[in-house]
Structure formats: structure tokens, C-alpha cells
Amino acid sequence: MKVVTFGEIMLRLEPEGYFRFVQVDKMTSTFGGGEANVAVSLANYGLDAYYVTKLPEHEIGQAAINSLRRYGVNTSYIARGGERVGIYYNERGASQRGSKCIYDRAHSSIAEAKPDDFDWNRIFKDCKWFHLTGITPALGGNLVQICVEACKAAKSAGATVSCDLNYRGKLWTREQAREAMSEICKYVDVCISNEEDAKDVFGIEAENTDVTGGKLNKEGYKSVAKQLADKFGFKKVAITLRTSINANRNNWAALLYDGKDFCFSKEYEMLIVDRVGGGDSFGGGLIYALLTGKSSQDAVEFAVAASCLKHSIEGDYNMVSVDEVEKLCKGNASGRIQR
């Protein structure tokens, strides 16, 4: 099954281990980005995953493409041009010190893309699913228009459209996000949000919840999911539920509302290796589960288990198989050595 994702892939630079930016004279480099992370997950699960973006023709742009090809993502629709690959610097938090992310992505190739860089009718031929996030339109330029055109073309091609709201306050204001995402969400079938996105973008929040204090009223998110579905006509709304005890310990679960039932997953207690890409791995797991015909309950269980495993893996990409996720869904959570 053909699945298409669209967004920005960036060069990720970070100190080794838990060193702070100001302590080091060298950093490790990898690649990642919301929709690219989803594409890698889907390719690992055996789907025909295509990733669409715009990258420079120089060696760093090629290295980004190579990182996707390494894991089976089809890059044939990537436009080439522009001058730079966006960068983000990541400093890992520990205990009560949170992680820190610094963007250096202004004037990247995708941020300066033009509508005619992408032939959406060709891209969506035989496509079953299209995924994007709220990060991409936040990059400015023509990207709100490009995202809307992509969604329209995907719907015309008969594809299901999913969107992770993914509000990033460092990229745009809540007012800008609300205006743009209200237009994009007209074409969305499956909406994905975390505990805060619905509040930040649309002003819809759960009562008696204190995210920064580590207290979630999970039942309150039933109302959030229903309000989102009623507002935009979403067929399904998924909300990830992260209880942050500290930077290293989180409890992780999710809710999936399908217009009829509210399905809560089991909750996992996680010791975190790398939390970047955790939401993207949830999205990839959910898309795979729904495309392969799993029930709402089984789909949210698969997505949460996939994301739980991602938190144990270095880098943006989720390097797990369907079999590994299924085993965790069935209760194999001891982490015992396999030999």
C-alpha cells in the first residue's frame, strides 16, 4: 500500500549523552523530522512509503535523502533546489532538567518551496494515505498554500488524510496556527494531537489537567476528542497522553475516538533513552494499524506500543518491526534479553 508524507527533514546535531551545549566541542549528526520519521516507521512495517520535501542539490541534501533510502523510504518525489538543509540542535534533559531544542531552519529549501515544485496528481497516483503535520505550514512562505493544495489533491485521489497538529511555539503564534490549521483540517480524516496541541491551536482543553505538573485528567480528553471531531468532521481523533514524572521517566498512553467509542490504550511506564520522534512513531503506528484493518482498540494499542519502543531508541527514526510491536501489545514488556 502506497503512503505519502510531506514535510521538512533536518540535520540533527547534539552533544553525546547528557552533555550540555556549552560543554562540548563536537556533536553527533543524524537526520530527522516529523513526517520523515513517520515515513521511516511505515517503511519498516513493510508499506510502500514515499516522503516528499525539497532539498538542496549539494552533499548535505543528498545525505538527508540517503538516510531515508537506507530504511526503504521512496524518495523519487523529492524536489531538489534551494541552498540549505534546516538544522536543529538537541540537548537531552535528565531528571528535573528538561531537554532543549534550538532551531536553525530559516530559509531552508522547503521553507522557500513554490507550489509548482510538486506535481500532486502524480504523487498521489494509487496513494491510500497522506500524512502531514502542523509543523510544515508553520515554516512560512508558500507552505500553507502548498499544504492545502496537497490535501485537496489527496482527497481527490481517494486517499485518507491524517494530520498531527504538532504546535510549535518557536515557529508561529497560536493565532497563526489556528487560522492555517482551520483551513487544512477541512480536508483531514484522522486528527492526531498530544495533551496540549488542541488547546494551543483551537482553544479546546481538558478540565482538571496540569501538564507541566504531571497531572492528566484522562477522562477529560474524551470531551476534547469529541469537540475536535464535531468541529471539523474528523472520522477519528487520537490524543497521546504523556504524564511526565521527569525528563527520564514518563507514563505513556493514548485515546482514540472513532465517532462512536472512546478507546483508551494501556499505559506504559517508560525510562527514556530519546523522546524525540515519540509522537511521530505513534502516528506511524496508528496509520499502519488503521490501513491494515485493525479495530479502533487494537489500533491505539499498536500505536502506543510502537511509540513506547521508540523512546528506547537513539535518533529520530523508530527502528522497530511489526513483530516487536505486536509482542509488546501482547504483554511482553519485561525487556529480557532475546537469545
Side-chain angles (χ1 to χ4, degrees):
M1 285 182 282
K2 180 179 177 180
V3 181
V4 174
T5 74
F6 171 64
E8 179 173 34
I9 186 169
M10 292 182 290
L11 177 65
R12 169 178 171 171
L13 299 176
E14 63 184 347
E16 293 183 357
Y18 293 100
F19 283 103
R20 304 212 71 184
F21 291 133
V22 295
Q23 289 181 280
V24 299
D25 56 10
K26 62 180 179 179
M27 297 190 191
T28 60
S29 65
T30 53
F31 289 93
E35 301 88 350
N37 300 342
V38 172
V40 170
S41 282
L42 295 172
N44 283 335
Y45 299 149
L47 298 187
D48 192 12
Y50 287 73
Y51 178 64
V52 182
T53 191
K54 186 174 183 178
L55 286 166
E57 295 187 39
H58 56 50
E59 288 84 354
I60 306 304
Q62 189 60 46
I65 290 175
N66 292 349
S67 78
L68 295 163
R69 289 177 174 169
R70 176 181 180 184
Y71 299 111
V73 175
N74 192 309
T75 60
S76 59
Y77 297 138
I78 291 179
R80 303 301 295 269
E83 297 183 357
R84 71 183 303 249
V85 177
I87 299 171
Y88 82 95
Y89 301 88
N90 187 64
E91 179 185 273
R92 298 191 195 191
S95 191
Q96 279 67 43
R97 175 174 61 84
S99 296
K100 183 172 290 187
C101 179
I102 297 175
Y103 293 134
D104 177 17
R105 61 202 301 182
H107 306 294
S108 66
S109 291
I110 186 64
E112 297 188 346
K114 299 177 181 179
D116 60 6
D117 284 327
F118 309 103
D119 182 350
W120 293 116
N121 290 332
R122 181 171 69 93
I123 290 168
F124 289 125
K125 182 175 174 20
D126 299 322
C127 177
K128 300 297 183 184
W129 197 291
F130 174 54
H131 178 75
L132 76 166
T133 79
I135 297 172
T136 305
L139 298 176
N142 299 305
L143 281 167
V144 172
Q145 176 190 348
I146 292 171
C147 287
V148 171
E149 290 178 357
C151 288
K152 288 180 178 179
K155 296 294 285 186
S156 295
T160 298
V161 176
S162 61
C163 180
D164 190 330
L165 297 180
N166 261 351
Y167 176 71
R168 295 292 185 267
K170 291 184 178 181
L171 296 179
W172 58 358
T173 66
R174 289 178 174 85
E175 291 72 24
Q176 289 173 318
R178 186 167 303 171
E179 180 179 359
M181 298 308 294
S182 293
E183 180 64 23
I184 289 169
C185 283
K186 293 177 183 178
Y187 308 98
V188 171
D189 301 295
V190 179
C191 176
I192 301 170
S193 172
N194 69 14
E195 316 84 15
E196 300 177 281
D197 288 334
K199 175 184 177 182
D200 287 332
V201 180
F202 296 121
I204 300 172
E205 61 182 307
E207 296 181 353
N208 301 318
T209 282
D210 179 7
V211 173
T212 57
K215 298 178 181 178
L216 295 186
N217 172 24
K218 294 179 182 177
E219 287 294 314
Y221 285 95
K222 288 182 178 180
S223 173
V224 173
K226 189 174 189 307
Q227 287 182 69
L228 284 171
D230 291 345
K231 182 177 180 67
F232 293 104
F234 300 136
K235 296 176 182 177
K236 291 180 173 63
V237 177
I239 301 177
T240 57
L241 303 170
R242 182 190 298 273
T243 304
S244 293
I245 300 164
N246 58 45
N248 300 103
R249 289 184 59 212
N250 287 182
N251 293 332
W252 183 244
L255 161 67
L256 179 61
Y257 173 58
D258 61 10
K260 178 182 177 182
D261 297 318
F262 297 94
C263 301
F264 283 92
S265 74
K266 69 180 72 173
E267 184 173 75
Y268 296 94
E269 181 180 348
M270 303 184 300
L271 295 177
I272 297 173
V273 171
D274 188 343
R275 67 160 287 177
V276 179
D280 306 322
S281 58
F282 174 87
L286 185 68
I287 292 168
Y288 171 81
L290 294 175
L291 267 176
T292 54
K294 292 184 183 293
S295 68
S296 293
Q297 186 65 53
D298 288 344
V300 73
E301 296 288 4
F302 185 94
V304 168
S307 184
C308 176
L309 290 171
K310 163 61 192 78
H311 285 76
S312 72
I313 297 169
E314 302 267 5
D316 273 53
Y317 298 155
N318 192 17
M319 299 288 94
V320 297
S321 66
V322 171
D323 182 62
E324 288 173 315
V325 179
E326 296 282 14
K327 284 180 178 177
L328 181 55
C329 288
K330 294 174 182 176
N332 185 356
S334 66
R336 290 176 61 86
I337 189 169
Q338 298 177 29
R339 55 187 176 188

